[in-house]
């Protein structure tokens, strides 16, 4: 005869259950609270200098409070543009390769892509320095840094992300679409270019924008490649970028520059947020 | 509308060269990708050869890094990287795994989406922004609320293990700050992966346990977690790998100095230190061409190899775990 | 049976990896007629259909032996261009698959690929295909609108019009009506009956009434073998083999 009553042991187990559930809930809350606090602090501190002068003026060495970070914003935008130029062709084409080919070679490529993805960003910056800038700097000491090199470093970081997103989005296109096109006698390149890629276009664009958002905040690779600048400059020479400016002002001894650092951080976060939001909107619009 | 007779020949030439060009283009792109990884390793190796030849194994074993004296030993950086990453894992793992369990198993459905969204957002905050917060919020907080009281307290100096950990210079930038900041940074990352792994476990297993009268916690602890264990370990290792290669946030809060002890080594959490990445970032501007630069690049090579190994081990674990779950 | 043979199949066997799916198929498919393939699911009729335009080539690990000749040309010959083959032997699938573009662009896609027509000539071609597919009246005012907005039956007629646009000789159809309502099915059956004047039609169907209604010749497939192949009147009226009789009378599915 089994009893369904609540014995002391059962009560104990239920207590333990509640305890465990609470621990897990509290962990989640703690994690979110800390991170929420960081964001709130950022907003509070950053609003002080978050005004139009920040965006349209260059740094003012005489009166730092009047200066801005216009060149950093332009620099970041330009570097991201260059990064796109490098990562899009290589990333999308190799993503197409993955979707089309099945075999040992494509497996090796996928493996190496994962490896590339896991390399710390500072190492990638160092790589670009070692092969592009160092040889030049040996003959012309202190020179060789450029926005192009920075864009190259960020582009290299984006390639695995773009490749993976292209591959995944192409695989999502239903097989029947491939069949219908090929049954008309359409050659493979035309099927891919005119039917399959357009079908996957939204997903790929989203993935690319998310990749951009990911590398927009990277500082370490820029340390060795674009060096930083107080002024605007051509992209063939050293330029400034938002994360670099942030680093410089955050570690500076001048309290005004420290304050501007918060606003720079806010600007950077907003830029990343915008990219992410646009990416999500594109996904949403495609689904309609 | 028919063409006279049917033809299945001809028109072949029209497509052939375009199709070949297409295949070539996508294959070449993949080759470029492969070549990149090999190029990175080779370039780093090549440019660090002068240092490797001159310094040999001492690069890894020696604790001294003195530019002026021409001595380059990265052992201090290596141990600093290990120490800070381990610290980060210690703090982050309990919170990450419990949060992941909460999200995957316990939380009501309507909470899951917004929280997941927030976690994704937080994982997107750049390292340098964390560093900024670390300098102006975390460090003063630690200094005033943890370090100064601990250093002044007579009782702490009595507890054996604690006393060698909770000691050091204590003026702010420290291993403790770096470890904690890293922990905060890798938590969203580890939580997201663990949550995916937990979600991949078939619900039949949970149903079976519940059908035997297990509470939810018992189901999780006795059935779900053991299944998920290899994957969770892989996730933790991935987080470790992340912390290992993290540069900016660490550079901004770790002090970039060797501790003021006789041999330059210290277990003290309140002492400043270095990691490989922070040393690279920090010493770059002072590096003169020649041995100094080559040594710096050799540092990069060490970081490259170690993080590759960690990541590879971690991904294999995660892959094996996912495959076992089917 | 009509005397002119369009496709001649000799001793064709087919493997998916190590599984043999077709055993020694022999048949002559006549021109300007409707030939139906019937049989229970898994009997190989669709697999065989896909051999005729080499769509099975797309799957790894398949093997074909024997010869398939279109108007005395071996379709597996090295000199044959698969694109040209598939243009000449077109295919309509079970599920309607419109391309995600406008109705006009759907029909124009094939002609543009093969360089058949441009400009005004293309417009005329598109119209003719849509007329022949009995879709023109319903879409003539909205050619630029998306094809995805059409109903299932309309989409399938669109796919048929698209197949017609490259001037094939043969149209292969793999259960074209099974995803459609009875009304659309009826319209497409009427369409097929008209198409055979200009084209050769081969249709796979599991609907025996449909096969009886529209086909001139019928082939009955069972477990990868071609059990019986004759004019439809004979196959449905006086089947020569017991298995055919059993299947037609519903003694097994």
């Amino acid at each position: 005869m089994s009893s369904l009553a609540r014995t002391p042991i059962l009560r104990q187990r239920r207590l333990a259950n509640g305890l465990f559930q609470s621990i897990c809930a509290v962990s989640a809350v703690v994690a979110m609270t800390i991170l929420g606090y960081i964001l709130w602090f950022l907003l509070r501190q950053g609003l002080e200098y978050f005004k139009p002068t920040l965006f349209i003026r260059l740094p003012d060495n005489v009166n730092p409070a009047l200066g801005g970070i216009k060149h950093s914003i332009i620099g970041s935008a330009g570097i991201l543009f260059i990064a796109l130029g490098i990562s899009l062709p290589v990333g999308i084409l190799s993503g197409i390769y993955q979707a089309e080919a099945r075999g040992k070679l494509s497996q090796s490529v996928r493996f190496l892509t994962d490896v590339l993805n896991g390399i710390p960003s500072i190492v990638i910056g160092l790589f670009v320095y070692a092969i592009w800038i160092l040889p030049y700097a040996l003959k012309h000491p202190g020179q060789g840094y450029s926005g192009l090199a920075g864009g190259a470093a960020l582009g290299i970081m984006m390639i695995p992300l773009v490749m993976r997103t292209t591959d995944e989005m192409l695989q999502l296109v239903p097989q029947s679409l491939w069949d219908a096109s090929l049954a008309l006698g359409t050659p493979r390149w035309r099927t891919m270019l005119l039917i399959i890629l357009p079908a996957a276009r939204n997903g790929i664009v989203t993935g690319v924008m998310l990749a951009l958002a990911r590398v927009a905040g990277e500082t370490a690779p820029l340390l060795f490649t674009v060096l930083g600048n107080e002024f605007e400059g051509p992209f063939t020479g050293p330029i400034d970028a938002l994360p670099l400016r942030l680093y410089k002002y955050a570690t500076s001894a001048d309290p005004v520059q420290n304050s501007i650092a918060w606003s720079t951080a806010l600007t950077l976060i907003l830029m990343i947020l915008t990219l992410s939001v646009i990416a999500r909107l594109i996904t949403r619009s495609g689904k309609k | 509308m028919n063409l006279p007779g049917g033809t299945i020949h001809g028109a072949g030439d029209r497509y052939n060269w375009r199709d070949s060009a297409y295949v070539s283009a996508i294959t070449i792109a993949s080759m470029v990708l492969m070549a990149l990884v090999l190029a990175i390793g080779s370039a780093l190796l090549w440019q660090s050869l002068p240092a490797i030849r001159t310094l040999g194994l001492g690069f890894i074993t020696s604790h001294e890094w003195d530019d002026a004296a021409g001595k380059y030993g990265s052992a201090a950086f290596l141990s600093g990287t290990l120490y800070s990453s381990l610290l980060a894992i210690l703090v982050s793992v309990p919170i990450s795994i419990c949060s992941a369990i909460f999200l995957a198993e316990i939380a009501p459905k309507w909470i899951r989406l917004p929280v997941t969204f927030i976690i994704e957002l937080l994982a997107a905050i750049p390292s340098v922004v964390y560093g900024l917060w670390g300098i102006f919020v975390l460090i003063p907080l630690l200094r005033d609320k943890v370090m100064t009281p601990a250093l002044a307290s007579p009782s702490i100096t009595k507890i054996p293990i604690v006393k060698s950990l909770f000691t050091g210079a204590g003026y702010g930038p420290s291993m403790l700050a770096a470890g904690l900041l890293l922990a905060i940074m890798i938590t969203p990352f580890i939580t997201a992966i663990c949550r995916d792994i937990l979600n991949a476990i078939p619900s039949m297993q949970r149903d079976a346990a519940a059908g035997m009268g297990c509470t939810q916690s018992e189901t999780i602890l006795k059935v779900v977690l053991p299944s998920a264990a290899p994957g969770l370990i892989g996730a933790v290792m991935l987080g470790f790998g992340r912390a290992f290669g993290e540069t900016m946030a660490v550079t901004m809060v770790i002090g970039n100095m060797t501790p003021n002890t006789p041999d330059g080594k210290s277990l003290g959490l309140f002492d400043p230190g270095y990691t490989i990445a922070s040393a690279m970032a920090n010493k770059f501007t002072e590096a003169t061409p020649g041995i100094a630069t080559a040594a710096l690049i050799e540092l990069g090579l060490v970081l490259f190899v170690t993080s590759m190994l960690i990541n590879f081990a971690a991904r294999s674990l995660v892959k094996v775990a996912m495959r076992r779950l089917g | 049976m009509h005397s002119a043979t369009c496709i001649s199949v000799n001793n064709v066997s087919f493997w998916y990896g190590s599984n043999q799916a077709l055993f020694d198929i022999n048949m002559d498919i006549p021109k300007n007629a409707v030939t139906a393939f019937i049989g229970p699911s898994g009997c190989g009729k669709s697999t065989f259909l896909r051999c005729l335009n080499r769509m099975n080539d797309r799957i790894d690990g398949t093997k074909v032996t024997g010869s398939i000749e279109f108007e005395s040309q071996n379709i597996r010959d090295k000199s044959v261009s698969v694109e040209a083959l598939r243009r000449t032997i077109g295919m309509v699938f079970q599920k309607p698959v419109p391309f995600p573009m406008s109705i006009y662009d759907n029909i124009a896609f094939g002609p543009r690929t093969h360089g058949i027509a441009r400009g005004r000539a293309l417009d005329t071609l598109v119209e003719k295909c849509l007329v022949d597919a009995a879709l023109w009246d319903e879409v003539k005012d909205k050619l630029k609108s998306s094809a995805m907005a059409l109903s299932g039956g309309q989409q399938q007629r669109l796919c048929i019009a698209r197949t017609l646009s490259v001037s094939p000789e043969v149209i292969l159809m793999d259960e074209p009506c099974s995803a459609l309502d009875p009304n659309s099915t009826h319209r497409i059956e009427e369409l097929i009956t008209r198409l055979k004047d200009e084209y050769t039609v081969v249709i796979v169907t599991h609907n025996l009434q449909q096969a009886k209604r529209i086909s001139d010749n019928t082939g009955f497939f069972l477990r990868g073998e071609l059990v019986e192949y004759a004019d439809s009147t004979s196959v449905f009226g006086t089947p020569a083999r017991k298995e055919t009789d059993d299947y037609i009378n519903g003694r097994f599915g």
Side-chain angles (χ1 to χ4, degrees), chain B residues 20-281:
Chain B
S20 311
Y22 169 66
V23 172
S24 307
I26 62 181
T27 312
I28 290 179
S30 307
M31 295 285 139
V32 166
L33 222 166
M34 281 176 66
L36 256 179
V37 180
L38 302 172
I40 294 179
S42 330
L44 291 178
L45 189 61
W46 176 253
Q47 295 284 20
S48 56
L49 274 178
I52 298 181
R53 275 194 226 118
T54 323
L55 306 165
L57 222 65
F59 189 75
I60 313 222
T61 52
S62 156
H63 265 75
E64 257 191 280
W65 185 285
D66 191 344
D67 242 325
K71 293 200 184 147
Y72 300 99
S74 66
F77 311 151
L78 261 166
S79 50
T81 313
L82 275 168
Y83 198 11
S84 57
S85 304
L86 277 170
L87 195 56
I89 290 288
L90 229 67
V91 172
S92 161
V93 163
I95 299 186
S96 300
I97 294 193
C98 288
S99 302
I101 293 178
F102 177 71
L103 270 181
E105 313 274 331
I106 302 178
K109 290 277 165 64
W110 57 269
I111 287 192
R112 296 187 194 190
L113 199 55
V115 172
T116 307
F117 177 67
I118 293 180
I119 292 185
E120 261 185 50
L121 214 58
L122 296 169
I125 296 182
S127 166
V128 67
V129 173
Y130 278 109
L132 176 68
W133 182 83
I135 294 182
F136 293 109
V137 179
L138 187 62
I139 287 185
L141 188 72
L142 286 178
R143 183 185 55 220
D144 300 332
K145 298 285 167 59
V146 175
M147 298 193 211
T148 318
L151 287 175
S153 144
S155 44
I156 296 244
T157 46
K158 306 244 183 69
I159 317 174
I161 302 186
V162 170
K163 83 161 184 254
S164 52
L165 287 179
F166 281 76
T167 182
Y171 51 82
S174 56
M175 201 49 84
L176 180 65
L180 283 180
L181 194 56
L182 278 175
I184 296 179
M185 289 174 68
I186 63 177
T187 297
F189 181 65
I190 299 183
T191 305
I193 303 183
C194 287
R195 191 209 52 211
D196 287 341
I197 292 179
L198 289 173
N199 277 335
I201 295 187
S203 46
M204 279 201 300
Q205 293 200 14
R206 297 182 187 87
D207 292 343
M212 286 195 301
C214 285
T215 62
Q216 188 181 36
S217 311
E218 286 161 357
T219 309
I220 296 174
L221 289 168
K222 295 189 189 158
V223 177
V224 177
L225 282 187
S227 263
L232 296 180
I233 297 181
V236 169
M237 284 183 74
L238 277 175
F240 181 75
R242 246 316 176 76
F244 206 80
E246 188 43 67
T247 312
M248 296 321 293
V250 174
T251 303
M252 288 157 99
V253 301
I254 202 173
N256 294 314
M257 295 204 279
T258 42
N260 208 355
T261 57
D263 59 356
K265 305 181 200 171
S266 166
L267 272 179
L269 288 171
F270 304 163
D271 267 326
Y274 275 108
T275 64
I276 301 181
S278 80
M280 283 168 71

Side-chain angles (χ1 to χ4, degrees), chain A residues 78-80 82-84 86 146-156 222 225-226:
Chain A
I79 291 180
L80 285 178
I82 297 173
L84 263 182
I86 294 189
S146 67
L148 293 174
L154 292 187
I156 293 178
L222 300 181
T225 49
V226 311

